[in-house]
Amino acid sequence: MQRERGRFPTGHRGFSLIEVMVALLVLSVGLLGIAALHGQGLGASRVAMYRTVAVNLAADMAERIRVNRLGGGAYGGSPADNECDPQTGSGVDCTPAEMAAHDLFVWQEQVAEQLPNGSGEVQFAAGTPPTYTITVTWDETGIGETSYTTTIEVPDI
């Protein structure tokens, strides 16, 4: 018996439709897993970005407090736009307490601009040395309200 050219031997006819369907199912499950992992990665990077912004904003306020040590308890008070900002060129000569209120005003605006529903607060505790607790709060998608708090001690001059 002679075999015809181009024909497969009996029992070796290629993939069956069931094998192809199983392969597609396995491939589909793998691709869905990759898509879910990608989505989680994007969410985690957003959370990390907001946390980084919050840490940088808290550090900014800490530096403002260190520069204006004489402002003291005014950092724990009410914010006010006293036009003390040297970049505006208003030439207003502010006291340390007025500068502290202005720093708080400008900083709280930055927090509100850079974080979703962002707010910032500074609490002052007199002592030796004085202690400042800086809290930045924002809304995190899927998590809810999130905050970052840092405490610094800044000795008087």
Side-chain angles (χ1 to χ4, degrees), residues 89-112:
S90 61
V92 175
D93 190 19
C94 294
T95 66
E98 291 172 333
M99 188 67 202
H102 184 76
D103 281 345
L104 194 58
F105 174 80
V106 170
W107 179 72
Q108 286 180 345
E109 280 188 341
Q110 289 175 340
V111 172

Side-chain angles (χ1 to χ4, degrees), residues 6-135:
R7 300 209 74 196
F8 293 105
T10 310
H12 296 283
R13 297 190 188 250
F15 292 107
S16 70
L17 184 58
I18 293 175
E19 290 171 327
V20 171
M21 297 287 280
V22 168
L24 283 174
L25 179 67
V26 169
L27 183 64
S28 297
V29 169
L31 289 176
L32 284 173
I34 290 172
L37 189 61
H38 180 68
Q40 286 180 341
L42 289 175
S45 68
R46 184 188 63 243
V47 169
M49 180 190 68
Y50 287 148
R51 289 180 191 266
T52 301
V53 168
V55 168
N56 288 338
L57 287 166
D60 176 47
M61 178 48 75
E63 288 305 310
R64 289 172 187 263
I65 292 169
R66 285 186 185 104
V67 168
N68 184 18
R69 293 172 191 233
L70 297 177
Y75 280 102
S78 299
D81 185 6
N82 294 325
E83 297 181 11
C84 298
D85 204 350
Q87 289 136 352
T88 61
S90 61
V92 175
D93 190 19
C94 294
T95 66
E98 291 172 333
M99 188 67 202
H102 184 76
D103 281 345
L104 194 58
F105 174 80
V106 170
W107 179 72
Q108 286 180 345
E109 280 188 341
Q110 289 175 340
V111 172
E113 287 174 8
Q114 295 181 26
L115 293 170
N117 291 329
S119 65
E121 179 185 20
V122 178
Q123 294 177 347
F124 173 77
T128 308
T131 302
Y132 301 85
T133 303
I134 303 166
T135 304

